[in-house]
Amino acid sequence: LFFAMTTPLLQLALDHVTRDDAFVLLDQLEELVDIVEVGTPLLMRYGLSIVSDFSTRYPHLKVLCDAKIMDAADLETRLCFDAGADYVTFLALTDDLTVRACVEVANEYGCQVMADMICVPDLPARALTLESLGVHVIAVHTGVDQQAQGRTPLDDLAALRESVSVTPLAVAGGISPRNLAEYLRYQPSIVIVGGGITSASDPAGAARTIRQAIQTGH
Ligand code: 5RP
Ligand code: MG
């Protein structure tokens, strides 16, 4: 199986930090992560200029803009890619026409779109459609508000691992050095970590632990 052969990428989600704190963190962590995510709250606070700042200051990192696009996809994906994003997210619940527009614009730019599966009721069925529409990455995601109710993305990842064999899978929602091994068993292509690094007492230590686990596979 091809997905068993590759080392997952580590995506650092920056949600609750200020622009200045984001730079301090990234200066420490840039060698440990592969993708830096402009988290949705960061995007709301600073706008797309922070996407441009990250892509200029950390040219060896991929930048993901967590725009969670739901409509007007042609315009919105273009705005994100023009600002320097390598990946843009959209909400998988949206209409197939919107998905198609995201994929077309990404392909035109040589970039990628990630489907955020938050709140999708039938994950395998939706994933099948997204694959047929050419979506580049499918992200299993338990949101922050759902996490507060004790939910995790583990069972959803297991379910999608059964049904998706071609499109790379990402996983997000409360992943930390403590629970990472459970997720690695299902061979995600991208592991997304926010608070598990940014809220740790030693963010660089947490990132190093996660990086090492990803390299060794457990
Ligand atoms: C919330 C998000 C977060 O970026 C994502 O959940 C990762 O953060 P954490 O690891 O803290 O859950 O997109 O909607
Ligand atoms: Mg996010």
Side-chain angles (χ1 to χ4, degrees), residues 27-48:
D27 286 348
Q28 287 177 51
L29 303 178
E30 58 178 317
E31 302 305 329
L32 296 168
V33 305
D34 303 294
I35 304 170
V36 56
E37 173 187 331
V38 174
T40 318
L42 204 64
L43 186 63
M44 286 186 168
R45 253 198 230 195
Y46 300 108
L48 285 165

Side-chain angles (χ1 to χ4, degrees), residues 148-193:
Q149 299 299 310
R151 287 204 50 205
T152 83
L154 192 63
D155 292 344
D156 292 345
L157 178 63
L160 274 193
R161 179 75 295 161
E162 291 284 305
S163 54
V164 176
S165 56
V166 176
T167 308
L169 290 181
V171 60
I175 300 176
S176 72
R178 252 180 316 111
N179 58 29
L180 175 67
E182 298 166 37
Y183 293 94
L184 292 179
R185 284 177 41 213
Y186 297 104
Q187 311 281 353
S189 297
I190 303 177
V191 174
I192 304 170
V193 184

Side-chain angles (χ1 to χ4, degrees), residues 14 32 38 59 61 65 68 75 102 104 109 111 117 121 140 148 160 193 196 208:
L14 296 174
L32 296 168
V38 174
L61 293 180
C65 182
K68 295 187 169 78
L75 174 60
C102 289
E104 272 170 21
Y109 278 74
C111 294
M117 300 294 270
V140 178
L160 274 193
V193 184
R208 255 191 301 275

